[in-house]
Amino acid sequence: MGPTAQQVEAVFRADYARAVATLTRQFGDLGLAEDAVPDALAVALATWPDAGVPASPTGWVLTTARHRAIDRLRREGSRSARQREAALLHAADEAREVPVVADDRLRLVFTCCHPALARPAQVALTLRLVAGLQTPAIARAFLVPEPRMAQRLVRAKRKIRDAHIPYRVPTEAELPARLAAVLAVVYLVYNEGYLPSGDTTDADAVALAGEAVRLARLLVELMPDEAEARGLLALLLLGEARRPARRSADGTWVRLADQDRAAWDVALATEGLDLVRWCLRRGAPGPYQVQAAIAAVHTDAPGAAATDWGQVVALYDQLLVFAPTDVVRLNRAIAVAEVAGPGEALRLVDGLDQDGYHLLHATCADLLERLGRAGEARAAYDTALALTANPLERDLLDRRRANLPAPR
Amino acid sequence: MPEYLLSVHNTVGAEPPAPEFMERMYAQVSALNDEMHHAGVWVFAGGLQPADTAQVVRRRDDGLVVTDGPYLEGKEVIGGFWIILVPDADQAAAWARRAAQACEGDVEVRAFQPVPRD
């Protein structure tokens, strides 16, 4: 009894990045590699259900995709005879090397996140080529019409070809800046899956967050010495650990302070905490590691009141060195409220220049409420509500506002 | 191997640049040109006269007319350019960084289309 179509597709998802990466190196043509892998999938869907899964599916996928790429090269009229020969010769030379080089997927990651590409193109390419997501799924995740997402991918691949963006891991000198872009892409994917907006379903959001975690795991696997890659994975795992508690039984959003900590995923939390400890021993902090350390302080606390808020404030001070932004200052102020009281926190928040940011007004509202200034708190909730369209956030703000003591 | 255009984009102020600035820039650019020659990547380089010295040939319904330039009225103009021959976009960008430092302006990197040879 052979595998079902879903099982065949699952095998391909697991090997997708490796196959595209290896073929890109062998043929020097990312577009060709990306066409050949789905060709191989079609062959597998036609033959595996009867013949069974081959003994080495990864090897089968690579070999079959390679043959399909050569077929495509021979058939394609758009290439000159000279280009075809060059690509085939290139492939013949490369095939004599070790078939799978560990670096291939890493090269692919860095090509997808090349600074010559705009961030939305980097994100789309990474999800398509490294995570192996289909275009409709990517379009849905980012609320972009499918033809536009397809166009974005085509343009990005064309730019890689026409600008001769190289397919390689950056040099030591370039690496810090280039790695930061890769981590930012994965973090952006995670954020899209963190707070589902009105038009994405919860299932889509969970799947996207899962892709981000898989990508972060891949980065750690490919760059085991990069502390920031581990910091990012830790941050995502500690966030995912809280997912079961982030929504109430009736689907509403639950703030960290109000979450049922017994519902947190212990396995994910433990893995995240282990990674944070590894980072601390390493002693080469960066923005993702510090954010993960902040998340770890929350994870370690038995309850919101028992949190080591002094430690949280100290970590935000450290984060400000890497990311001196008002968003970080706002989050620091929220921790200061627990150490020095809401009055001191409000003074800090009032000094920030982010009038268009709904969470600034939501924070003000919370602090004013705790200071017994219900009228001003109500006005601040109104401002926050006017600035966000996200239904989950609006619902939470509405409920907080309704719970304020009635004006006399 | 692809050729790249490194074009220097300057912001035009009301005042012409100071002589000390021009002198420093010429020295820096000249040193960079030497390095490009040594590395075997230099194809061509040149600085342009100010944009208001340009004339423009425009296509009209009734034929071509010559008018005064520049083509686009704006504060950003191309002040000069290099053409270099390097294997890929990263090496082009590495030379563009040096170019931006040498001429103290922003530099755009664009590959030339391949010349059809069949």
Side-chain angles (χ1 to χ4, degrees), chain A residues 79-83 114-116 162-166 168 170 174 178, chain B residues 1-4 87-91 93-94 111-112 114-115 117-118:
Chain A
R79 283 163 206 275
S80 70
R82 199 174 49 82
Q83 280 174 316
H114 194 276
D162 292 346
H164 309 277
I165 289 174
R168 64 171 173 78
E174 301 166 298
R178 297 286 308 273
Chain B
M1 207 175 338
E3 286 174 333
Y4 288 86
D88 62 46
D90 281 0
Q91 299 198 32
F112 279 88
V115 181
R117 287 202 180 86
D118 284 340

Side-chain angles (χ1 to χ4, degrees), chain B residues 3 16-18 26-27 31-32 35 44 47 49 65 76 82 87 89 93 107 112:
Chain B
E3 286 174 333
Y26 282 138
L32 179 60
E35 270 194 65
F44 188 84
Q49 295 287 2
V65 290
E76 308 263 328
W82 280 267
V107 174
F112 279 88

